[in-house]
Amino acid sequence: MKSNKRPSLTLVAAALALACAGMGSAHAAAKIVINNLNAPGVGFNDPTPATPVGGNTGTTIGQQRLIAFTHAANIWGATLTSNVPIVVNAQFVPLSCTASSAVLGSAGATQVFADFPGAPKAGTLYSYALANKLYGSEISDTPGPQINARFNSELGKANCLAGSSFYLGLDANEGSNIDFVATLLHEMGHGLGFQTFTNGQTGATFAGYPSAWDHYLLDNTTGKLWVNMTNAERAASSLKPSGLSWTGPRVTAAVPSVLTATAELRVVGAGARSPSGDMYAVGEADFGPKLDKSPLTGQVAQVALQSDSPGSACTPFNAANAEAVRNKIALVSRGTCGFAVKVKNAQNAGAIGVIVADNAPGAVTGMGGADASITIPSVRVTQADGALIAASLTKPNGNTNGTVAKLQRSKSQLSGADAQGRITMFTPDPYQPGSSVSHYNTTATRNQLMEPAISADLTHAVTAPTDLTLELFKDIGW
């Protein structure tokens, strides 16, 4: 049986550009072969001269892209075991993008299989590469590549994150660029089995079979596994932010060693609605310092929209806003410019921290972006919570108010995990085809390779205590 589902890696409001080169192979415990489908002169075959960077010795863009791809394949090859070579068909083609967002790439299994000798669970679909590993030899009657991978050939052009680029070095030192090796590891992860073949939007299983994933996806609000749900129940479950947990024993055992205590915002003082203070869920930034065990405490000051700014905190603060936020925690609204731009402007004005309130309804998520010069912490809250905080301010641009914020770490809750310590999956409302369910939750900290966006603090590790991807693979049979 074949599936065309390919979970995509979406990067919103950030910069990038990507490509690759030639045909190569990676040799390790599992042999991974990279099959270049691009025509001469483009993509993996781009002859544009390039200077070696970060351990990548290629002298053309195409060579560097292939070297990076082979490096990523070697990481997976050294981590997994299989008697059957894993062939990846790879090419650059136009993918969805706008001036502020883009699909970096997409990848997935080319075929899926059920009820074969060696299958851990009966009547259950496994990705082609995993099925080969479990079966012990080539399983398909029509052998071919196990993974299809595509990357966006439009990135960096005028209508697609102009001026951006992929970092092709092998040392994870991408700075403000996008780490291509991390992106490759992510996409190969999908093709190796980090995906469900069940349609989360409709709840329908593929060809009437549940996926290996469905045995481990638990709706933590109803206590039911996907494999035991109706289509309607699965569709509803995929829209519950932080409501879908992974129950695999290997991942759950590793969660405490990988995830940190969740960040939270506590509002106290005269502006709080309760004597003990108000607690708000927050998303953390990929840039700037992380919160530590000692709370960052300060009065909250709301930043007013300036006539010279297209959005809240998108330009250097005028005298009034600078006076309002100096030595305080700035409250700004999301929109128009990037998160890092807002935080850096607040930092330059003297703020000690930043709260970014969403400008549209939805569950709280983290903040992407990169700026090594940012030295103050920042968090994101929902639109509704931002409105409550703003309403509590007695003098939004004055020198004093009754609202004091404490940015701190929870003493009991792990980031990205449910109350039982199980990692949760990415389940936004509305549903995001290609991203929902088949990724870890964006609230996880540290950031995980298999979240739906590439984060600046990712390393090239796929194992605990840095990353939970291999542990999930072990749960499903790798």
Side-chain angles (χ1 to χ4, degrees):
M1 287 176 281
K2 299 182 179 180
S3 171
N4 292 322
K5 288 178 65 67
R6 300 188 182 101
S8 62
L9 172 60
T10 303
L11 186 73
V12 179
L16 48 140
L18 52 151
C20 301
M23 179 173 181
S25 62
H27 300 274
K31 180 180 180 180
I32 300 178
V33 178
I34 302 160
N35 184 23
N36 170 23
L37 300 184
N38 276 132
V42 299
F44 288 100
N45 302 319
D46 189 334
T48 304
T51 302
V53 59
N56 190 326
T57 58
T59 56
T60 69
I61 294 294
Q63 288 175 353
Q64 289 192 356
R65 289 166 175 170
L66 178 60
I67 289 171
F69 210 147
T70 302
H71 180 75
N74 278 332
I75 292 173
W76 275 125
T79 304
L80 304 174
T81 59
S82 179
N83 294 330
V84 186
I86 301 168
V87 179
V88 183
N89 270 0
Q91 60 183 317
F92 280 87
V93 296
L95 298 176
S96 174
C97 61
T98 68
S100 60
S101 66
V103 174
L104 302 181
S106 66
T110 57
Q111 300 184 63
V112 291
F113 299 85
D115 293 328
F116 53 87
K121 297 183 182 297
T124 298
L125 295 176
Y126 292 86
S127 65
Y128 192 175
L130 178 53
N132 272 350
K133 178 261 192 329
L134 295 168
Y135 186 60
S137 61
E138 176 58 57
I139 193 172
S140 179
D141 293 333
T142 56
Q146 285 74 48
I147 300 172
N148 272 338
R150 303 182 302 161
F151 302 94
N152 199 334
S153 61
E154 301 303 296
L155 293 170
K157 296 183 179 179
N159 63 340
C160 193
L161 300 175
S164 58
S165 64
F166 256 113
Y167 176 70
L168 300 178
L170 312 181
D171 57 357
N173 190 27
E174 72 277 11
S176 61
N177 295 317
I178 303 301
D179 188 350
F180 190 41
V181 172
T183 304
L184 291 162
L185 288 169
H186 177 109
E187 295 303 344
M188 281 191 282
H190 283 312
L192 291 166
F194 204 101
Q195 64 178 138
T196 178
F197 303 107
T198 296
N199 187 322
Q201 195 161 18
T202 66
T205 57
F206 183 70
Y209 289 88
S211 299
W213 269 49
D214 300 352
H215 294 269
Y216 301 102
L217 292 173
L218 176 78
D219 186 317
N220 57 50
T221 67
T222 66
K224 296 182 71 172
L225 290 167
W226 265 33
V227 71
N228 297 324
M229 289 184 185
T230 64
N231 290 358
E233 287 174 326
R234 282 188 287 267
S237 178
S238 71
L239 298 177
K240 297 179 180 179
S242 298
L244 188 63
S245 301
W246 183 267
T247 64
R250 300 299 293 259
V251 171
T252 300
V255 159
S257 70
V258 175
L259 301 183
T260 62
T262 190
E264 58 189 20
L265 166 62
R266 186 182 177 207
V267 170
V268 298
R273 291 168 294 156
S274 65
S276 60
D278 307 326
M279 199 70 72
Y280 298 97
V282 302
E284 295 190 72
D286 289 342
F287 49 85
K290 299 294 184 182
L291 301 178
D292 57 27
K293 295 181 180 179
S294 300
L296 173 69
T297 303
Q299 285 189 331
V300 179
Q302 188 170 26
V303 176
L305 182 63
Q306 299 174 189
S307 59
D308 67 340
S309 180
S312 177
C314 287
T315 57
F317 287 15
N318 60 21
N321 272 329
E323 177 63 26
V325 304
R326 189 172 295 119
N327 297 320
K328 299 184 181 70
I329 296 174
L331 175 65
V332 305
S333 178
R334 180 191 179 194
T336 307
C337 61
F339 296 118
V341 173
K342 295 174 183 289
V343 175
K344 183 60 180 293
N345 283 331
Q347 174 181 296
N348 289 343
I352 61 174
V354 176
I355 301 168
V356 180
D358 258 319
N359 58 354
V364 69
T365 60
M367 295 189 291
D371 187 334
S373 67
I374 291 178
T375 59
I376 62 173
S378 56
V379 297
R380 179 177 176 180
V381 297
T382 65
Q383 183 184 45
D385 287 347
L388 289 174
I389 296 169
S392 74
L393 306 180
T394 57
K395 296 180 180 179
N397 280 310
N399 294 321
T400 60
N401 63 58
T403 301
V404 175
K406 291 186 175 183
L407 303 181
Q408 60 191 33
R409 291 281 174 197
S410 171
K411 296 181 180 180
S412 60
Q413 180 68 41
L414 293 175
S415 62
D418 64 16
Q420 286 69 45
R422 301 168 299 214
I423 193 168
T424 57
M425 310 308 289
F426 184 59
T427 50
D429 186 3
Y431 188 88
Q432 295 182 16
S435 290
S436 290
V437 182
S438 290
H439 290 95
Y440 285 136
N441 202 333
T442 57
T443 57
T445 303
R446 61 179 303 152
N447 284 309
Q448 296 295 291
L449 174 68
M450 298 309 294
E451 293 181 30
I454 291 295
S455 300
D457 62 346
L458 289 178
T459 68
H460 296 163
V462 297
T463 60
T466 301
D467 192 78
L468 292 166
T469 308
L470 178 61
E471 300 309 313
L472 186 145
F473 280 168
K474 290 178 180 177
D475 278 338
I476 63 175
W478 273 105

